[in-house]
Amino acid sequence: VAIVTGAGRGIGAATARLFAREGAKVVLASRSGTELAEIAAEIEQAGGTCLAVPTDISEENQVQALFTKTRETFGPVDILVNNAGILRDKSFAKMEMEDFRRVVDVHLMGAAHCCKAVWPHMQAQQYGRILMTTCSTGLYGNFGQTNYGAAKLAQVGMMQTLSIEGAKYGIHVNALAPTAATRM
């Protein structure tokens, strides 16, 4: 059972399709119900099993509902892919702090909410895989993306620490920093 956030398009949708092709039961999470329905239909037409749950991962109560629905529908979660993201690009001098906060809330706090929801269950089952989709912007910077770069590099720090804490429970935590052209 794999939960993929940001599964409505781009890297998240591709990840969800791949997991479904490999036989996983996939839970698609994204704020856009329309996009999720399209990806879910694609996966089901190809013979995969999935569940689409519109979710704003920056809202802890919505993440808890996502996790509860996943467990009720498919059972224990084996894989979490923290992929959801947004952009609010402006140079730092022109950026409103609300735009800074919103990006951090989605990328960093959203990933933290998702990890917190699955963590005790993965500990109990002595197994779990968590993947953070970070970005080269967090590692190298990019003009107009102070908020995004800060949030993405913070995910790397969270990944490093969770990988240490999860090791004795069979929970492996990794991050990928792809560079790609997507609609985002």
Side-chain angles (χ1 to χ4, degrees):
V1 175
I3 296 175
V4 180
T5 70
R9 62 178 180 231
I11 294 169
T15 301
R17 287 184 197 106
L18 175 64
F19 278 126
R21 273 196 310 273
E22 293 296 322
K25 296 172 185 168
V26 182
V27 178
L28 313 168
S30 175
R31 288 182 302 154
S32 172
T34 303
E35 290 176 337
L36 284 183
E38 292 170 8
I39 301 302
E42 259 184 64
I43 288 171
E44 290 169 348
Q45 287 172 354
T49 303
C50 68
L51 172 68
V53 184
T55 307
D56 179 347
I57 64 163
S58 70
E59 298 292 333
E60 189 174 8
N61 61 332
Q62 289 189 39
V63 171
Q64 287 299 326
L66 164 69
F67 181 70
T68 299
K69 182 131 180 110
T70 299
R71 284 185 59 85
E72 289 171 352
T73 305
F74 294 136
V77 175
D78 302 297
I79 302 164
L80 167 64
V81 180
N82 285 311
N83 179 72
I86 63 168
L87 294 174
R88 298 290 185 270
D89 293 355
K90 283 188 182 173
S91 68
F92 189 67
K94 295 178 182 176
M95 184 178 294
E96 299 291 328
M97 289 313 291
E98 182 52 36
D99 286 337
F100 195 100
R101 182 173 285 108
R102 182 68 182 137
V103 169
V104 170
D105 283 348
V106 171
H107 291 273
L108 179 59
M109 293 309 299
H113 293 320
C114 291
C115 288
K116 188 71 170 173
V118 301
W119 197 261
H121 302 279
M122 287 182 171
Q123 280 181 314
Q125 68 194 24
Q126 294 285 298
Y127 180 86
R129 302 294 183 260
I130 298 174
L131 178 66
M132 309 285 189
T133 304
T134 186
C135 181
S136 59
T137 299
L139 302 171
Y140 305 111
N142 190 33
F143 187 88
Q145 292 189 320
T146 306
N147 50 5
Y148 181 73
K152 287 307 201 178
L153 192 55
Q155 280 186 334
V156 173
M158 183 166 57
M159 174 274 302
Q160 293 286 23
T161 302
L162 289 179
S163 68
I164 294 166
E165 292 182 11
K168 71 180 180 179
Y169 300 104
I171 304 170
H172 296 271
V173 186
N174 293 286
L176 294 176
T179 300
T182 68
R183 196 169 88 183
M184 188 175 84

